[in-house]
Amino acid sequence: MQGFAGVMWLLNVALIAFSGFALFDAAFRREDAYRAVDKKTKPFWLIVLGLAFVVSLIFPILSFLPIIGLIATIVYMVDVRPAIRGISGGGARGRGSSSDGPYGPFNGR
């Protein structure tokens, strides 16, 4: 039983770190980038991710509310964040040459 409790504790810490990272990331993105990619507004995502972070701190991972917070965090991380990074050029992979296409550079080869 102690092993199960240890695994649940690790999952809870991972959920707190994941939602905290998403909240931190959403807080430092530009507000106009959310509108440019036609996603919900920055205050909306800050409220949703903030609630997910607080709920993951208060409730154990097997409760209903942390699961909802995890789903909201996953939606932000796989849908909203890549779209915003693509428009604002965040990260080394997001920046490319002006001759780059969707499948690589257009260099005549």
Side-chain angles (χ1 to χ4, degrees):
M1 196 66 177
Q2 248 181 345
F4 180 73
V7 169
M8 288 293 108
W9 181 82
L10 285 175
L11 284 175
N12 200 22
V13 169
L15 177 60
I16 291 169
F18 185 55
S19 61
F21 174 76
L23 178 62
F24 183 80
D25 184 71
F28 285 99
R29 298 289 175 184
R30 293 185 359 219
E31 199 277 328
D32 59 337
Y34 290 87
R35 285 180 278 131
V37 295
D38 200 29
K39 301 297 178 187
K40 296 286 186 181
T41 62
K42 182 177 181 175
F44 172 83
W45 282 110
L46 289 177
I47 290 169
V48 168
L49 294 173
L51 286 172
F53 180 72
V54 169
V55 163
S56 66
L57 284 173
I58 295 173
F59 295 102
I61 193 161
L62 292 178
S63 298
F64 186 65
L65 291 175
I67 301 298
I68 294 172
L70 176 64
I71 292 168
T73 304
I74 289 171
V75 167
Y76 174 80
M77 292 297 285
V78 301
D79 183 39
V80 178
R81 184 174 184 251
I84 292 173
R85 286 182 70 188
I87 200 166
S88 62
R93 293 185 301 167
R95 296 183 192 132
S97 171
S98 62
S99 67
D100 282 354
Y103 303 108
F106 293 120
N107 58 7
R109 292 183 203 168

